[in-house]
Amino acid sequence: MEHHPHTEPEPAEPRSSLAGIVTALAEDLAASFAQAPFGIAVLRGPDLIYEYVNPVYQGFAPGVRLLGKPFATANWEMPEIIARLREVWATGRPWRADDLVVPIQRTRRGPLERAYFTFNCLKVRTGTPPDALIGFVIETTERMRACERLANAFGDAKERAAELESVIETMLEGVAVFDRSRRITLINEAARRQIRSAGVEPELFERAEELIERLRVRLPDGRPMTVDLLPLNRALAGEASRVTVQFWNHETNRAGHASIGAAPIEREGRIVGAVVVGSDISEMTELDRLKDDLIRVTAHELKTPVTILKGYASALTEALGPSLAPEHRRMLEAIDRGAERINRIMSELLDAQQIELGSFELVCGPVALDALVADKVARVAARSPKHRVRVIASQPLSVNADGERLREVLRILLDNAVRYSPAGGDVDVTVSARPGFAVVSVRDHGVGIPPDRRERLFQRFYRAHTGTPYDYGGTGLGLFVARTVLERHGGTLRFESNDDAGSTFVFELPREPQP
Amino acid sequence: VTVADRRAVVLVIDDDEDVRELLRYLLERAGYAVRTAVHGRDGLDSVADTMPDLILLDLKMPVMDGKAFAAEFLSRYGRATPIVVVTAADDARKRAAEIGAADWLAKPFEADGLTRVVAAHLPAVDAGVGSGRR
């Protein structure tokens, strides 16, 4: 065998170079397998024994020993995959599956997880039998989870959108959504109904000028509606607003009222459209009008009988004069007071109504405030025998004011002072001046105003003594009317009150004529 | 000419008998002569017969209301005889101005308020009646 070394290199050389290439290729392949970003496994023989796994593959189940074990043993939890691989072995046909859900236990005592894998498996002949399966495996769990989340979110969003849509659809108010170019992108049944019942087609809402013209849209005070006042236009300019308008209903051939509001829809700081909400308030407006008529007519109709009661009671008192027995005089005075109360209730209701309707007007002229106060105080004093109602300080002061309304204010303040001093006592009135203003105060020593009720004292129909022992009745409109009258003059009305020591009401009027 | 003949004559036009009689009572007691009419048409007949010195006019009346009366009266006789509106309307001042009345008196009124407004528009007719501004 010693001579062999001299002769061997000749025939051996081509073989050894091929082997070298194969070895080099195998080494390259092994290196690429080791660095591959996907899992690679080689399963040998009919029992599919793990012969090779690359680090990524081992990473799928870091806590499980694979090499040398049959696939079915190492992966008992995935019977479906086991069956597939056996099929590949038996038929030799490659198998490929994308994003397959696979149960997997990644560590020996770990939980069974649901994971996603993409498989690519083929049978290969190897130099030495038996044959083997080579599998390329990519885990797609993360991607699929992201997809799932997206799908769920989308599903939720769709569900919520559907919910929202059914809410909008069944709302009693009409809702329409417009895009920036004023096209309707959503409109609910109520809006369609309102539009139909007004006798116009929904598309008209996309053409504001025409709509205003066709429906003869006007502001509540009768002024014509302008395009820039439309809530939709203001919303598209970025401003939420609400208006009440009159319109002509072409179906009923009558004027109707609608309340229309709109708000911009913004996305990432940009106005992308507007939502408009409208309701037909014709019926409500009509009921309101009936209520106003009822108050006006009732007040008007009651004034004549009140005139008769008061007139004859005082005529009798005067006519009988000294021959009238004191108790009969008191009876006649009671008739007069009762009639006067009816009169005041109706006056306060009418005033409050005029204020509400915006038809409350002042007729101003020069008024001698001190004389007016003295006169009113004398009148209240004359019919309040239990009280000492008096002016304790005064000075000549002229104001530019509505004398009738000022009398009403004083009457309200003095009546309250007397009413809420049930035990009698002093009601002290002062007339004074500070720069630019005339100041009148009315102080009583009565029951005061409970602290928790002071805040609401000037609200309409609010009566601070409701439910207290000092509930002496009244409309709850007096102070509301008084304050409004003073504010319309550019003045103020305020009060101070001690719980048991009475209240002081102070009003101020500007001495210069108001513009 | 007797003193009674020189008394100023006030025509009261009001559909409510009780109000009419109350006005008559208060005015007669203040020294005026009073005639009455129950609505505008009746009032026009009355002034056609004898022109009063002043007219107290209710607004809301059947047959012919105060507004229609005032329009007809002013077109026939001008403004020589003042009309004072006596009304329960809450916007009495405005209504009085609208129909061309000289003044107004809101219902319910008091006796002295009534005599003041009447006297203010009859300054020269009878010196015995109190005068003054409202």
Side-chain angles (χ1 to χ4, degrees), chain B residues 16-117:
Chain B
D16 190 305
E17 187 184 354
D18 292 331
V19 173
R20 256 185 347 252
E21 292 312 313
L22 176 64
L23 287 167
R24 177 201 292 283
Y25 173 82
L26 295 172
L27 291 167
E28 283 181 350
R29 210 189 43 159
Y32 298 103
V34 176
R35 297 214 321 264
T36 60
V38 298
H39 50 63
R41 177 63 53 207
D42 193 19
L44 284 174
D45 292 346
S46 175
V47 296
D49 185 48
T50 319
M51 185 58 66
D53 297 298
L54 183 137
I55 297 168
L56 288 183
L57 178 67
D58 185 21
L59 287 181
K60 214 172 143 231
M61 290 180 290
V63 184
M64 180 188 262
D65 67 11
K67 189 179 175 185
F69 169 86
E72 187 61 34
F73 179 84
L74 290 173
S75 78
R76 281 193 206 172
Y77 308 106
R79 291 174 184 271
T81 300
I83 296 175
V84 173
V85 164
V86 182
T87 180
D90 46 298
D91 51 352
R93 276 182 284 204
K94 211 169 113 191
R95 303 276 290 274
E98 276 168 9
I99 67 167
D103 213 334
W104 60 281
L105 183 67
K107 288 182 187 170
F109 50 81
E110 311 227 342
D112 54 345
L114 170 69
T115 48
R116 264 204 306 268
V117 73

Side-chain angles (χ1 to χ4, degrees), chain A residues 3-61:
Chain A
H3 59 276
H4 274 147
H6 307 278
T7 54
E8 252 181 24
E10 287 291 315
E13 205 174 344
R15 267 217 314 268
S16 81
S17 81
L18 192 64
I21 290 166
V22 168
T23 307
L25 275 176
E27 277 168 7
D28 278 357
L29 201 61
S32 348
F33 275 20
Q35 286 161 22
F38 44 86
I40 301 170
V42 176
L43 306 167
R44 174 81 75 169
D47 288 335
L48 306 174
I49 308 287
Y50 274 109
E51 189 177 275
Y52 170 83
V53 292
N54 74 345
V56 171
Y57 192 98
Q58 182 64 60
F60 294 150

